[in-house]
Amino acid sequence: MDRKERFVLLLREAGDKAYNFAFQLAGNDADARDLVQEAAVRAFENMARYDSARPFDTWMLTILRNVFLDWRRRARLRAAEPLDAGEGGLAEFLAGPDLDPAETALRGESAADVQRALAALPEHYRAAVVLSDMEGLRYEDIAEVLDVPVGTVRSRIHMGRRLLKKILAETRGGAYGTA
Amino acid sequence: MERHEDRFLLSAAADGELTGAEKSRLDAHVSVCAACRGELDALRALKAGVAALPRRAMPLSLPDVVAARLGAEPAPGRRWAAWLWEPAAWVPAGALAAAALWTLFAAPEPVEAEALPLEELMASHARCAVESIVPTGDLVAAEFSSRLQSRLEAPHARR
Ligand SMILES: [Zn+2]
């Protein structure tokens, strides 16, 4: 088995995890496919730097996110598209009290509601929440993928969930009125 | 204990990521604070809600598509990768620099951004997004089009 075949085997094993993460980052299948392909090619070209003591899928997710950020950075430079407000952009909201009884639980929201709310999260929160809750990664591994300290992972996941709750509460507000 | 604990601890608790000391402290507080208890329950419910979302599986053909790309000649950087991949090969620094230069000059010529059929690309992206399970309205506005973007990235990469 040559190294290309070995690599494709690894890719098949890590594939669903990588693809789901890519989909949650990009928001659609066409871009998710492009992202995984590009990340896989980059991973293959950099296999010499892969530490085989670490899980391959974590490494693949790391490269995937870097490819995503590269693409997005260039898109932003090019078209100045409205993207994330950034770490400080939600400061006003996040500085508010977070024990609002009106939004303290999921109340029968559909998966579509949750998915929509997740897609509306700024990327640095969404990536952390997806890696934790959908991909089942430990904070230590999330820190590696996002290239931030574990303390930052903690805050991003918590802020991300608060924002998710807020978005879901607003969704619910439309249907049920604010409690 | 009247004072609420650092709220980050609540999410970390829902994820089972507290240290022993943090957990004891938080347990003590939550046992007497209904607000934090409610918040912890809410965070757990939210986590479960996200965990229960349908996962996207990689298209079965994708590894083959990747394999074909790996075999193809023009992947920039492959010569560089080959040097790195075989640590047994003794590589003088000069050769490494030459390989790096090679990847620069072997990269495909950038497409002129002005020449791209932008409207067509935009339309095709909109179609892709509509096919996805994610509601499109806000997302398309909020997210970039990597498809469009991948056609545009070459000029930037060369700056
Ligand atoms: Zn409390």
Side-chain angles (χ1 to χ4, degrees), chain A residues 3-4 7-8 11-12 15-17 19-20 23 25 27-31 33-34 36-38 40-41 44-45 47-49 68 71-72 74-75 77-78 81-83 98-99 104-106 111 114-116 118-119 126 132-135 138-139 154-155 157-159 161 164-165 168, chain B residues 4 7-9 11-12 15-18 22 35 38-39 42-43 45-47 49-51 53-60 62-67 69-71 75-76 78 80-81 84-86 113 125 128-129 132-135 139 141-144 146-147 149 152-153 156 159:
Chain A
R3 56 175 196 247
K4 194 170 103 180
F7 178 81
V8 170
L11 180 62
R12 284 190 197 282
D16 285 348
K17 223 170 199 175
Y19 190 84
N20 186 64
F23 180 85
L25 290 178
N28 66 78
D29 280 304
D31 286 338
R33 270 196 299 274
D34 288 355
V36 172
Q37 277 185 41
E38 192 58 40
V41 170
F44 181 75
E45 287 168 354
M47 271 311 270
R49 292 182 208 168
F68 173 79
W71 285 6
R72 200 182 63 162
R74 290 175 187 150
L77 281 177
R78 178 105 212 144
E81 293 186 37
L83 290 166
D98 65 346
L99 294 180
T104 48
L106 287 179
V114 177
Q115 177 65 74
R116 193 181 297 115
L118 188 61
R126 185 169 69 242
S132 167
D133 298 352
M134 290 190 87
E135 309 290 12
R138 310 295 302 173
Y139 284 11
R154 276 190 172 193
S155 67
I157 288 177
H158 187 64
M159 294 299 192
R161 286 188 184 137
L164 264 184
K165 271 201 318 176
L168 286 168
Chain B
H4 295 309
R7 297 288 155 61
F8 296 169
L9 291 189
S11 269
D15 293 327
E17 291 274 358
L18 293 183
E22 287 170 338
E39 176 73 359
L43 291 168
L46 202 54
K47 179 179 171 69
V50 174
L53 288 176
R55 296 178 55 82
R56 310 293 285 195
M58 180 173 68
L60 289 175
L62 204 144
D64 296 326
V65 174
V66 169
R69 269 186 74 180
L70 298 182
R78 290 216 50 214
W80 170 255
L84 288 174
W85 203 306
E86 264 121 43
H125 175 67
C128 293
S132 112
I133 60 156
V134 175
L139 193 64
E143 287 288 357
F144 76 118
S146 74
R147 191 141 277 248
Q149 145 45 30
L152 294 173
E153 70 181 306
H156 293 286
R159 278 211 299 223

Side-chain angles (χ1 to χ4, degrees), chain B:
Chain B
M1 194 188 308
E2 285 303 313
R3 191 182 154 277
H4 295 309
E5 288 294 334
D6 180 351
R7 297 288 155 61
F8 296 169
L9 291 189
L10 292 171
S11 269
D15 293 327
E17 291 274 358
L18 293 183
T19 64
E22 287 170 338
K23 188 173 184 314
S24 317
R25 217 168 69 214
L26 189 73
D27 285 349
H29 176 73
V30 161
S31 67
V32 297
C33 176
C36 283
R37 204 159 51 238
E39 176 73 359
L40 184 55
D41 287 345
L43 291 168
R44 286 190 173 126
L46 202 54
K47 179 179 171 69
V50 174
L53 288 176
R55 296 178 55 82
R56 310 293 285 195
M58 180 173 68
L60 289 175
S61 61
L62 204 144
D64 296 326
V65 174
V66 169
R69 269 186 74 180
L70 298 182
E73 170 54 28
R78 290 216 50 214
R79 192 173 292 180
W80 170 255
W83 286 112
L84 288 174
W85 203 306
E86 264 121 43
W90 178 74
V91 185
L96 278 175
L101 279 177
W102 178 86
T103 67
L104 284 179
F105 289 106
E109 277 305 301
V111 181
E112 284 301 319
E114 289 70 20
L116 290 173
L118 291 184
E119 285 174 6
E120 185 191 323
L121 283 167
M122 295 288 239
S124 87
H125 175 67
R127 278 199 304 279
C128 293
V130 166
E131 287 160 14
S132 112
I133 60 156
V134 175
T136 58
D138 296 335
L139 193 64
V140 169
E143 287 288 357
F144 76 118
S145 162
S146 74
R147 191 141 277 248
L148 167 62
Q149 145 45 30
S150 64
R151 299 284 296 272
L152 294 173
E153 70 181 306
H156 293 286
R158 308 268 298 182
R159 278 211 299 223

